[in-house]
């Protein structure tokens, strides 16, 4: 279904991952119904990052991740939900520009979580710290492959009013009310992963454009994204899958993505106004994540050496991110006589999982 009906699959994932979780567990609760209050399935997964919240996977000093069955983090922990509001363009550009520079670590502002399959693979391969990742490169490993069940999500929140609470998936913490505004879903259903992104309908309303906490809706799905004009169209939720009458009917499928290019060779693009605010025009989830990588150590005390996610330095008015098929020369240098090429590994590809850049070096 991910390959042949990607938009339909996006909505089925949306329902499954937003199903209420069993209390104190990382599993869905079949006794509850969609739209019930409380933690949903993806919120029970391991916390990778979220504002200043501590990661359960990529821990200080490269320590081992906490066990999968360890107690869940506090629901609606303000440190995970109090995501920095959308900043002005110049500030965001400066922050983003150093995000993946070699030797620079930068905390993310998205709440990121991973499921058991993703977590187990990372823990088993010992790649939750930088040394473990560098060992892949040093061993000549060109790429790694996560299992078919691997999933990650990326979410954004903003503070909302009590009057809007019924229209959002929301939670309260430290006297604040937070509403879910954006949700990326990444799954290893396809060799190059499957990508879908959702937004709250308020993000698109003209009266909200330019308000604090809202990103500009630069493109519609019909303009540039791979979202066919059918009954699973991005502008309305499909009937009959349980969203009707719930808070979840207020979320839109911005689009889904299954390949770098269309059948005609045109690059596919996919963006979220909350997560890719300033570079929606060139954003491609699959093309960006293809650059998730680890290269040779550049300094003992520095974070890992990785490919950049940007094609060129920024102009004042635009951030350029990659779209279309990746350039193989980024990963391998080919030299030697024709017919007898010699390949030298430049970067190990980390199977589209950018969260691995959050790993730290082991403490001395």
């Amino acid at each position: 279904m991910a390959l042949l009906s990607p938009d339909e699959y996006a909505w089925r994932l949306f329902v499954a991952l937003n199903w209420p979780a069993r209390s104190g567990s990382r599993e869905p609760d079949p006794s509850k119904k969609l739209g019930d209050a409380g933690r949903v399935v993806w919120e029970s997964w391991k916390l990778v990052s979220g504002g200043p919240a501590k990661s359960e996977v990529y821990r200080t000093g490269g320590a081992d991740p906490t066990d999968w069955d360890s107690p869940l983090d506090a629901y609606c922990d303000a440190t995970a939900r109090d995501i920095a509001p959308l900043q002005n363009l110049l500030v965001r550009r400066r922050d983003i520009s150093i995000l993946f520079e070699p030797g620079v670590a930068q905390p993310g502002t998205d709440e990121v979580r991973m499921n058991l399959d993703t977590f187990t693979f990372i823990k088993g391969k010992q790649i939750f710290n930088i040394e473990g990742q560098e060992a892949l490169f040093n061993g000549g490993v060109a790429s790694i492959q996560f299992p078919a069940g691997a999933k990650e999500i990326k979410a954004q929140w903003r503070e909302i009013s009590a009057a809007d609470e019924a229209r959002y998936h929301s939670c309260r913490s430290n006297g604040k009310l937070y509403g879910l505004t954006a949700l990326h879903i990444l799954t290893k259903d396809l060799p190059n992963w499957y990508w879908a992104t959702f937004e709250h309908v308020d993000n698109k309303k003209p009266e909200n454009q330019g308000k604090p906490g809202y990103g500009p809706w630069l493109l519609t799905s019909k303009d540039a994204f791979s979202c066919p004009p059918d009954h699973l169209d991005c502008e309305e939720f499909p009937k009959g899958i349980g969203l009707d009458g719930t808070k979840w009917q207020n979320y839109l499928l911005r689009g889904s993505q299954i390949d770098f290019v269309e059948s005609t060779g045109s690059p596919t693009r996919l963006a979220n106004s909350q997560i890719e605010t300033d570079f929606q025009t060139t954003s491609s989830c699959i093309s960006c994540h293809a650059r998730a990588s680890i290269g040779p150590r550049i300094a003992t005390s520095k974070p890992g050496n990785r490919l950049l996610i940007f094609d060129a330095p920024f102009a004042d008015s635009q951030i350029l991110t990659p779209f279309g098929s990746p350039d193989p020369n980024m990963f391998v240098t080919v030299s030697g006589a024709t017919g007898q090429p010699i390949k030298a590994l430049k970067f190990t590809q980390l199977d589209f999982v950018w969260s691995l850049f959050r790993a730290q070096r082991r403490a001395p």
Side-chain angles (χ1 to χ4, degrees), residues 64-326:
D64 287 5
T66 59
D67 292 335
W68 177 259
D69 293 326
S70 62
L72 274 63
D73 55 293
Y75 179 59
C76 205
D77 184 347
T79 60
R81 298 294 161 84
D82 201 4
I83 304 300
L86 294 172
Q87 302 159 305
N88 67 69
L89 190 62
L90 180 60
V91 172
R92 283 179 57 83
R93 182 174 295 114
R94 185 171 62 247
D95 288 346
I96 294 170
S97 69
I98 67 172
L99 185 57
F100 295 107
E101 285 185 4
V104 176
Q106 177 78 1
T109 58
D110 305 306
E111 180 176 355
V112 180
R113 292 181 181 268
M114 64 176 59
N115 75 340
L116 176 59
D117 292 276
T118 312
F119 175 79
T120 301
F121 182 85
I122 289 172
K123 192 171 182 179
K125 291 288 186 181
Q126 298 284 297
I127 53 176
F128 49 81
N129 54 49
I130 293 175
E131 286 83 356
Q133 295 178 28
E134 287 176 340
L136 295 173
F137 176 84
N138 294 334
V141 178
S143 63
I144 59 175
Q145 293 294 320
F146 277 75
K151 294 179 175 63
E152 276 197 349
I153 65 89
K154 183 185 294 185
Q156 280 228 349
W157 304 76
R158 64 169 164 258
E159 196 172 350
I160 60 173
S161 68
D164 284 327
E165 185 172 7
R167 301 176 52 254
Y168 281 81
H169 176 55
S170 60
C171 60
R172 295 178 181 272
S173 181
N174 294 346
K176 293 183 178 181
L177 177 62
Y178 299 99
L180 179 69
T181 63
L183 185 67
H184 271 340
I185 300 175
L186 299 66
T187 76
K188 191 62 191 283
D189 288 287
L190 301 173
N192 293 337
W193 293 68
Y194 166 86
W195 317 82
T197 192
F198 293 83
E199 299 201 43
H200 195 277
V201 66
D202 288 356
N203 294 352
K204 188 180 181 181
K205 292 181 177 178
E207 61 269 26
N208 290 329
Q209 304 303 297
K211 286 185 179 179
Y214 292 86
W217 194 281
L218 297 182
L219 294 171
T220 69
S221 58
K222 300 288 179 56
D223 291 330
F225 301 114
S226 54
C227 186
D230 56 19
H231 71 288
L232 296 170
D233 169 283
C234 298
E235 303 308 317
E236 64 176 67
F237 68 94
K239 306 298 189 290
I241 63 171
L243 301 179
D244 312 61
T246 74
K247 59 191 175 185
W248 297 111
Q249 71 177 20
N250 297 304
Y251 290 83
L252 304 174
L253 172 62
R254 187 76 191 263
S256 59
Q257 192 175 35
I258 60 173
D259 205 349
F260 297 102
V261 297
E262 303 284 2
S263 61
T264 58
S266 298
T268 61
R269 287 178 282 176
L270 185 62
N272 188 296
S273 71
Q274 295 286 295
I275 299 174
E276 290 89 20
T277 304
D278 300 325
F279 48 95
Q280 296 174 66
T281 56
T282 61
S283 177
S284 169
C285 298
I286 190 172
S287 301
C288 170
H289 280 255
R291 296 188 179 190
S293 55
I294 188 71
R297 177 179 290 199
I298 52 177
T300 302
S301 61
K302 295 290 187 179
N305 182 18
R306 307 180 191 277
L307 287 167
L308 303 182
I309 66 168
F310 301 104
D311 280 339
F314 303 148
D316 288 341
S317 60
Q318 189 176 25
I319 295 175
L320 300 177
T321 51
F323 55 91
S325 298

Side-chain angles (χ1 to χ4, degrees), residues 12-19 40-42 45 151 153 185:
R12 291 184 182 275
L13 280 172
F14 187 76
V15 170
L17 300 188
N18 288 305
W19 196 270
V40 298
V41 169
W42 65 261
W45 292 352
K151 294 179 175 63
I153 65 89
I185 300 175

Side-chain angles (χ1 to χ4, degrees), residues 11-48:
W11 283 111
R12 291 184 182 275
L13 280 172
F14 187 76
V15 170
L17 300 188
N18 288 305
W19 196 270
R22 195 188 305 273
S23 179
S25 169
R26 303 184 190 276
E27 302 293 335
D29 189 340
S31 70
K32 294 184 178 180
K33 61 182 185 297
L34 190 67
D36 284 352
R39 190 192 298 262
V40 298
V41 169
W42 65 261
E43 291 174 300
S44 73
W45 292 352
K46 279 295 188 183
L47 181 66
V48 175

Side-chain angles (χ1 to χ4, degrees), residues 320-344:
L320 300 177
T321 51
F323 55 91
S325 298
D327 180 358
N329 294 314
M330 294 189 300
F331 298 95
V332 178
T333 297
V334 180
S335 59
T338 302
Q340 295 179 319
I342 300 173
K343 294 184 178 181

